[in-house]
Amino acid sequence: MINPNNWHPYPRYGLATAMVMLDNQLADFTDPIMLLKLGAKALRKGINAYSLRTLGDPKSDTKLSFTYLSGEDVNPGSANNQSSKFGYFLAPHILTSNNAAEAIKEIRQLLQLLDGTDVNPAKSYELKRSFAPMIAKLNNGNASMANPRVGLLEATFTAIATLTDLKPSVYAPHKKDEFCNFGIIPDLPLWDEQKPSHLPLIEFVEVFKDLTDTYAREPGEDKYIATVKPDKKAYARPSVFSGNYPGAAKGGTLGAISLVAAIGRWARQENTLLLGKPNNELARIVLIQLATRPLYIVSYEGIRQESFGHHLVDLALNSDLSDINQAFNKVRLLGIDEREKFKSTNWQNFRMMSDRFLRLYTPASFQDFLAFRAEYPASLKPLIEHYMTQQSDKLSPEIIKSARAYGESLNNAAFSAATEEMEDDARRQNKPKPTSEIKKTLDYRTKRNQYKDRILTQFESTVGSAKSSAALLSQLGTIAGRLTHREIKPEAGEFMEAVLTGDISIDDAKNLITAFMRLSTFKAATSEALGVVHEDDELETAETKTITED
């Protein structure tokens, strides 16, 4: 009997998707010939979703509608007029190189072998990176390097994993201004060894299939329609390239968080039956199974591994994890111009650490997150509250609420003092008092933030240098009182008392104050009104540089 649990996760995933695609979940694992036939059918289906093409003309049309090219007509390359220059694109779920012709050539050779007579499933077959992106050449004790070889059965399902659209995928940058396709392959068993009737990997694929079906039914712009930029008049990729599931990071890197968030949101929106269970129950089961397991983010350019904890499942099912994840893009790093932040190395490091904190939820990852001095949007409040309540039994919801009031007092003090100091400077320079319209402009807010950043930095330095709980609160209270001539909010009393009596350690107190002090209490205008470029827009702009390449 063949046990796919002993295979590499990549071909195992190919087998699971073939079973779901062809409604053949009860495959006979004692019959490898039957499995090869299953694989051949899945490969042909995969070729039919290999290339996207449009018949529209970007010189005259503002919208371009894309459809999949029939498998028998797929022949990528400029020589055959099937390149981006002519409105043809490799589908975002195909994990191969930009030389799409090489992979289709290898797949057709594999199919030719599978269609032959006297096929041996155990026959040794050479894996090539065009359809097996996770491999590396080995010397195996020989003088020259060679591609690894596996049995024909595993090679077939390796190719299916590369072709299938039933995997989370996105077209994203692998380095500056260079893009490729990425996909997520979870390391789940095909069946539970203790309970063979339980099929964890099948459940994941079924959930993802239904998730993408939901995505296709969402109101709004068709995921296979591209908008032509007026100043480009060139073929553009449709929005499915920004992610083939709802909530995928548009133009950004693919990872565990957006996938978990999408499954959680899908579970909260519907209550249909899937595999005999309500989808919210199946989603919970799938997310619990994924927690702590390796997730491989695969592309032709490389592979990385991620994992996440059960806290992320809780956030996904009981909060809007998608909103929390997107809120990180609205964080304002102190000392960095909002108009330039997405180009900043410091910003890239911050996003890496914020992603790591959200996945791991450990004290070390939280400290790495806090290491970047910043002001957070109010939408990150649920995340900070959720994390802090899980760190200590002494941090009750009431204490957290009171600590939040303390932090708000400091942020309000910084805002008020910054506004007053800025206007005082303007008066000394005989400048007119700013109108309400001027106060809405990005230039005004940027300048006020410079004043506010100095005060927030002073608060943070005080927090970091305090040697005792009493010194911590007294020094912060003195600074806030001097700036605003007002006391800390009375709602912060319970937190302050717990700090002074030692019920809350000085380290926890510093973390609470720092995190809640950074939460903005100001409801900002939309970034579009302020002229701020989103990170997604930055990446989309970079993407357009590649759309006319082959």
Side-chain angles (χ1 to χ4, degrees):
M1 178 176 170
I2 296 166
N3 186 350
N5 288 346
N6 296 329
W7 289 2
H8 186 280
Y10 200 80
R12 188 193 314 144
Y13 193 80
L15 173 58
T17 59
M19 292 168 66
V20 172
M21 276 195 293
L22 303 172
D23 297 322
N24 197 8
Q25 292 176 27
L26 300 178
D28 186 354
F29 291 98
T30 64
D31 187 350
I33 297 295
M34 186 279 294
L35 291 177
L36 278 182
K37 292 179 179 178
L38 174 72
K41 290 179 182 178
L43 279 177
R44 287 191 170 85
K45 193 165 184 178
I47 292 176
N48 284 323
Y50 191 87
S51 292
L52 281 161
R53 58 90 58 96
T54 180
L55 297 177
D57 184 350
K59 291 181 173 58
S60 57
D61 299 328
T62 58
K63 301 282 186 180
L64 302 175
S65 179
F66 283 81
T67 57
Y68 283 110
L69 189 64
S70 172
E72 60 189 18
D73 295 327
V74 172
N75 197 7
S78 296
N80 305 306
N81 292 344
Q82 289 190 17
S83 66
S84 57
K85 180 179 178 181
F86 301 99
Y88 289 78
F89 294 102
L90 180 71
H93 56 267
I94 306 294
L95 304 184
T96 190
S97 70
N98 289 331
N99 183 10
E102 186 64 27
I104 201 69
K105 173 186 172 184
E106 294 293 339
I107 299 297
R108 283 175 173 152
Q109 288 179 355
L110 181 57
L111 274 171
Q112 188 175 7
L113 179 60
L114 294 175
D115 290 340
T117 58
D118 195 27
V119 180
N120 179 6
K123 175 182 173 66
S124 178
Y125 195 89
E126 181 184 8
L127 294 179
K128 295 185 179 179
R129 288 199 67 224
S130 60
F131 70 91
M134 73 292 182
I135 68 165
K137 287 189 175 183
L138 306 170
N139 62 21
N140 291 321
N142 299 318
S144 60
M145 305 288 281
N147 288 320
R149 304 182 72 90
V150 297
L152 179 60
L153 191 62
E154 283 189 61
T156 298
F157 289 107
T158 295
I160 292 169
T162 295
L163 294 188
T164 183
D165 62 347
L166 292 180
K167 61 177 176 285
S169 307
V170 70
Y171 176 74
H174 62 90
K175 59 183 179 180
K176 187 175 181 181
D177 294 344
E178 292 188 23
F179 288 67
C180 67
N181 293 341
F182 291 82
I184 294 181
I185 304 294
D187 187 0
L188 289 172
L190 190 70
W191 62 69
D192 188 333
E193 297 289 351
Q194 304 300 318
K195 186 181 179 183
S197 61
H198 180 209
L199 307 172
L201 191 53
I202 294 292
E203 289 176 344
F204 173 83
V205 177
E206 285 281 8
V207 163
F208 186 75
K209 180 176 182 294
D210 204 66
L211 181 65
T212 54
D213 289 345
T214 302
Y215 186 41
R217 297 193 304 269
E218 280 187 343
E221 188 175 6
D222 192 309
K223 310 308 179 290
Y224 291 91
I225 289 181
T227 301
V228 178
K229 293 184 179 295
D231 58 334
K232 295 288 183 182
K233 294 295 182 182
Y235 289 104
R237 289 174 169 81
S239 60
V240 70
F241 279 81
S242 297
N244 65 346
Y245 61 94
K250 181 182 178 185
T253 56
L254 185 68
I257 294 173
S258 66
L259 176 62
V260 173
I263 295 175
R265 176 176 283 186
W266 169 80
R268 297 194 310 275
Q269 287 177 340
E270 298 188 12
N271 194 28
T272 57
L273 288 177
L274 189 62
L275 295 181
K277 299 183 180 73
N279 69 357
N280 55 356
E281 175 61 19
L282 187 60
R284 186 185 67 82
I285 292 171
V286 165
L287 289 177
I288 289 173
Q289 290 170 167
L290 287 175
T292 72
R293 300 283 299 196
L295 296 175
Y296 297 99
I297 291 81
V298 182
S299 77
Y300 187 82
E301 301 299 331
I303 301 175
R304 73 178 194 273
Q305 180 180 321
E306 290 185 356
S307 62
F308 63 90
H310 288 277
H311 67 278
L312 207 62
V313 178
D314 183 33
L315 284 170
L317 294 176
N318 299 307
S319 304
D320 197 325
L321 182 57
S322 293
D323 285 351
I324 291 173
N325 192 32
Q326 288 300 315
F328 281 114
N329 285 334
K330 300 175 184 177
V331 168
R332 187 177 65 81
L333 294 182
L334 271 56
I336 294 181
D337 192 321
E338 280 290 276
R339 293 163 291 194
E340 301 294 328
K341 76 175 184 181
F342 296 123
K343 300 175 184 177
S344 164
T345 301
N346 203 34
W347 172 258
Q348 300 301 328
N349 291 335
F350 166 74
R351 283 303 280 124
M352 180 173 64
M353 290 304 168
S354 61
D355 180 272
R356 181 171 172 267
F357 161 57
L358 193 50
R359 286 188 295 106
L360 302 183
Y361 243 43
T362 60
S365 66
F366 184 58
Q367 290 304 317
D368 288 340
F369 168 65
L370 289 182
F372 294 82
R373 287 185 170 174
E375 186 171 35
Y376 309 145
S379 46
L380 277 183
K381 181 177 69 175
L383 173 65
I384 295 172
E385 291 177 344
H386 185 269
Y387 172 77
M388 296 306 300
T389 53
Q390 294 199 358
Q391 298 313 297
S392 171
D393 293 337
K394 294 183 178 180
L395 299 180
S396 64
E398 293 75 23
I399 290 291
I400 295 293
K401 183 178 179 181
S402 182
R404 189 174 72 235
Y406 190 91
E408 287 176 355
S409 296
L410 298 182
N411 192 280
N412 282 333
F415 177 83
S416 300
T419 303
E420 183 177 347
E421 185 179 346
M422 180 179 170
E423 292 179 355
D424 285 346
D425 286 349
R427 279 193 296 270
R428 280 192 290 270
Q429 298 170 22
N430 295 320
K431 292 182 179 180
K433 187 175 181 180
T435 64
S436 59
E437 290 304 312
I438 290 178
K439 289 182 179 181
K440 294 178 182 178
T441 63
L442 181 59
D443 286 341
Y444 180 88
R445 290 170 187 254
T446 299
K447 188 172 183 180
R448 183 175 58 198
N449 284 338
Q450 293 171 355
Y451 283 83
K452 186 177 181 181
D453 289 353
R454 290 198 294 266
I455 300 168
L456 288 175
T457 299
Q458 182 182 4
F459 280 140
E460 295 213 9
S461 297
T462 301
V463 171
S465 62
K467 302 301 183 184
S468 67
S469 297
L472 174 67
L473 297 184
S474 64
Q475 290 169 15
L476 288 174
T478 298
I479 297 171
R482 187 180 71 244
L483 291 172
T484 63
H485 308 293
R486 287 181 292 188
E487 295 182 350
I488 299 294
K489 287 184 177 182
E491 294 87 347
E494 185 174 357
F495 165 71
M496 296 171 67
E497 181 179 352
V499 172
L500 291 173
T501 58
D503 288 344
I504 298 176
S505 70
I506 187 171
D507 288 337
D508 281 344
K510 287 183 175 183
N511 286 340
L512 284 165
I513 292 171
T514 300
F516 285 126
M517 176 179 63
R518 291 178 176 180
L519 282 174
S520 175
T521 57
F522 177 72
K523 186 176 181 181
T526 64
S527 55
E528 290 80 5
L530 299 177
V532 175
V533 178
H534 281 295
E535 183 174 27
D536 293 346
D537 298 331
E538 282 284 315
L539 293 167
E540 189 173 287
T541 300
E543 177 183 335
T544 60
K545 297 178 182 178
T546 67
I547 64 172
T548 57
E549 298 173 1
D550 292 342

